[in-house]
Amino acid sequence: MGKEDFIRVYNKLLDFFGYQNWWPVHNNTDPFIGISIGAILTQNTSWKNVEKAIENLIREDLLDLEKLDKISQENLQKVIKPAGFYVRKAKTIKEFVKKIKNIKKEEITRDFLLSIHGIGKETADSILLYALDKPYFVVDAYTKRIFSRLGFFDEKLSYNQIQEIFHKNLPVGIEIYKEYHALIVALGKNFCKRKPVCTGCPLFDNCKFRIYNV
DNA sequence: AGCCAGGCCAAGC
DNA sequence: GCTTGGCATGGC
């Protein structure tokens, strides 16, 4: 599959879903903090649950580096509980906040983020792309599932290999990286689920796997 | 009433 | 290096 194919898929998704304008940002909060915390909270978790946790954080006025640094891990667990995996996530947020306070935003690198326990490649790239405007394509479960079903590449490729494919086949730019990933999530949520809903899928004609419930 | 969600890590090959 | 199990809530 070549560049035209990746662009064709992008355009079809864009035509169908329209611009997604990710990342969802909340009122009166520092976008960097909100996006970073959201990226940690949404690990293997539906965004609806994450929203509940973020609402709690906003209500407690906690979307702030100093306040997150001050609150105890135990209390933070309670606040973010609806997002699930709250023990680990609270620990990760605490470490993130602690480390981030001692560094300038311009100095935040992928390796720096990956050194934080509980932040892996996808979370790091989400923060880099959506919170720091750096050109890292985000690879998630939907990306693997959708493009392997399309027949573009094998689902078993590593994270870095898949990311490299997107970096090579798309014009470099944060806007297209942001929008493409958001559109992939839209397709994954609405059509290309674990159990796919192929009827009405905007990529039906492009897909090698259009064998389900049609 | 199960199954699933915008992963990550540790342990064991 | 790759695979597996644990982590947890709430929506559908």
Side-chain angles (χ1 to χ4, degrees):
Chain A
M1 296 298 157
K3 301 184 180 183
E4 327 74 53
D5 301 292
F6 284 88
I7 294 295
R8 184 176 306 116
V9 165
Y10 173 75
N11 284 325
K12 283 201 174 189
L13 292 174
L14 190 55
D15 284 345
F16 188 85
F17 290 109
Y19 281 100
Q20 304 294 298
N21 294 315
W22 264 24
W23 191 283
V25 176
H26 301 80
N27 295 338
N28 306 323
T29 61
D30 175 358
F32 172 74
I33 307 298
I35 292 168
S36 301
I37 301 302
I40 292 167
L41 291 177
T42 198
Q43 291 169 357
N44 203 38
T45 302
S46 68
W47 185 252
K48 298 222 167 182
N49 285 11
V50 175
E51 277 187 326
K52 292 178 186 300
I54 291 182
E55 283 166 18
N56 290 348
L57 287 166
I58 291 175
R59 176 158 24 80
E60 308 280 336
D61 193 25
L62 281 168
L63 276 185
D64 173 275
L65 278 187
E66 298 299 330
K67 288 167 184 163
L68 283 171
D69 194 33
K70 284 204 179 72
I71 190 176
S72 72
Q73 196 170 297
E74 292 70 27
N75 284 335
L76 183 56
Q77 286 177 21
K78 292 176 191 160
V79 178
I80 66 170
K81 195 162 192 169
F85 304 121
Y86 50 84
V87 175
R88 173 178 294 264
K89 286 174 180 175
K91 194 179 293 183
T92 300
I93 290 171
K94 292 294 288 179
E95 187 182 338
F96 172 80
V97 168
K98 196 179 190 66
K99 287 197 170 181
I100 221 77
K101 281 181 63 181
N102 299 319
I103 188 172
K104 292 176 177 153
K105 268 192 202 171
E106 310 83 66
E107 294 169 348
I108 298 173
T109 63
R110 193 171 195 255
D111 282 339
F112 170 82
L113 292 170
L114 290 175
S115 75
I116 297 167
H117 190 85
I119 293 187
K121 291 169 185 170
E122 187 192 331
T123 308
D125 288 336
S126 296
I127 293 172
L128 289 165
L129 179 62
Y130 290 102
L132 295 168
D133 286 333
K134 297 189 182 207
Y136 289 83
F137 196 88
V138 176
V139 177
D140 66 347
Y142 289 139
T143 312
K144 293 182 185 176
R145 184 195 298 159
I146 290 169
F147 286 87
S148 63
R149 283 177 178 167
L150 288 174
F152 278 32
F153 52 73
D154 190 326
E155 186 159 19
K156 297 200 183 302
L157 291 184
S158 71
Y159 185 101
N160 291 340
Q161 286 175 314
I162 293 176
Q163 186 180 53
E164 196 178 333
I165 289 174
F166 282 93
H167 286 171
K168 281 186 177 165
N169 284 286
L170 294 176
V172 179
I174 56 171
E175 293 312 323
I176 189 168
Y177 287 4
K178 286 182 181 180
E179 197 54 40
Y180 208 154
H181 174 65
L183 288 165
I184 285 168
V185 173
L187 187 76
K189 279 181 177 168
N190 292 291
F191 295 99
C192 211
K193 311 176 184 189
R194 276 260 279 258
K195 193 175 175 179
V197 180
C198 297
T199 308
C201 176
L203 300 183
F204 186 84
D205 293 335
N206 307 73
C207 191
K208 291 195 170 22
F209 249 46
R210 51 184 173 178
I211 55 175
Y212 298 94
N213 54 358
V214 287

